[in-house]
Amino acid sequence: MTKEDKVLVIQEIKDLLQDAKVVYVADLEGLNAAKSSEFRRQAFKSNVKVKVVKNTLLQKAMEQVEGVDYSEMFPTFKGNSALMIAETANAPAKLIKDFRKKEEKPALKSAYVQETFYIGDKELETLSNIKSKEEMLGEIIGLLQSPIQRLVSALQNKADNEGGNEETPTAEAAE
């Protein structure tokens, strides 16, 4: 790879990382071509970008990204590395977990999610349990609706009961 090629690759990686809020680095070593293609297909369906990268080029690109110090992740850059970028915090973790039901790999090396670093494969379970923005909003809406629904129900029951009491005297008066 020529120096010009390396500069282009570093710029490409830097562009991917610049606005990324969710960055995972995984080890895909040991996956044959068919399994690797299957992993990429599943990643595409999950809106996760996957790019196999050279560790030194990834590190240089990360060093050039403004606003985030990725240096905590650098010690994990050994062997085969795949960069995974997503919008949803838990999407890459769930993808890795689901794929590992059939295979040993991929293994999580490190991740940067919601301004926090996660180092090592042992963090996979924690990352997969992070709720997405949509899941959190759904829970919040549900929590907010619950007291309102109870209040409306109580008011309706009270109105029904009061309405029932008013009908009885009217019926008696008619007799």
Side-chain angles (χ1 to χ4, degrees):
M1 186 179 272
T2 66
K3 189 170 185 170
E4 292 80 22
D5 291 339
K6 288 179 183 178
V7 168
L8 289 173
V9 171
I10 289 170
Q11 185 60 45
E12 183 183 342
I13 296 169
K14 184 180 164 191
D15 290 344
L16 279 173
L17 293 169
Q18 195 60 54
D19 297 321
K21 302 282 185 253
V22 178
V23 178
Y24 283 60
V25 178
D27 176 7
L28 299 179
E29 195 169 352
L31 292 181
N32 63 27
K35 291 174 184 171
S36 183
S37 293
E38 176 61 25
F39 182 74
R40 286 174 183 269
R41 266 192 296 282
Q42 288 180 15
F44 181 78
K45 288 177 187 173
S46 302
N47 288 330
V48 176
K49 293 178 188 170
V50 177
K51 180 168 182 62
V52 176
V53 293
K54 291 190 176 219
N55 294 319
T56 53
L57 300 180
L58 176 59
Q59 184 170 334
K60 286 181 182 183
M62 286 182 157
E63 288 168 349
Q64 293 177 18
V65 173
E66 295 176 18
V68 181
D69 178 10
Y70 289 105
S71 60
E72 283 188 54
M73 296 173 79
F74 297 164
T76 66
F77 296 173
K78 292 176 177 55
N80 189 340
S81 292
L83 178 64
M84 300 173 74
I85 307 285
E87 292 292 320
T88 308
N90 62 2
K94 286 183 175 181
L95 174 66
I96 291 170
K97 238 178 118 175
D98 287 346
F99 202 78
R100 286 202 349 211
K101 289 177 182 173
K102 296 178 272 180
E103 304 295 328
E104 272 184 45
K105 298 281 179 161
L108 177 68
K109 290 184 176 188
S110 54
Y112 173 75
V113 178
Q114 299 172 350
E115 299 178 7
T116 305
F117 290 96
Y118 299 86
I119 308 297
D121 197 53
K122 65 189 180 306
E123 298 289 348
L124 191 61
E125 189 64 36
T126 303
L127 287 163
S128 66
N129 289 329
I130 292 176
K131 296 201 184 309
S132 70
K133 182 179 177 182
E134 292 77 18
E135 291 169 329
M136 290 296 285
L137 287 173
E139 282 186 17
I140 291 169
I141 289 169
L143 289 170
L144 291 173
Q145 284 180 337
S146 180
I148 293 169
Q149 287 172 337
R150 283 195 297 248
L151 176 64
V152 168
S153 177
L155 290 173
Q156 284 176 337
N157 286 340
K158 186 174 181 182
D160 290 345
N161 290 340
E162 287 177 355
N165 291 341
E166 290 174 6
E167 289 176 9
T168 306
T170 309
E172 290 173 4
E175 291 175 11

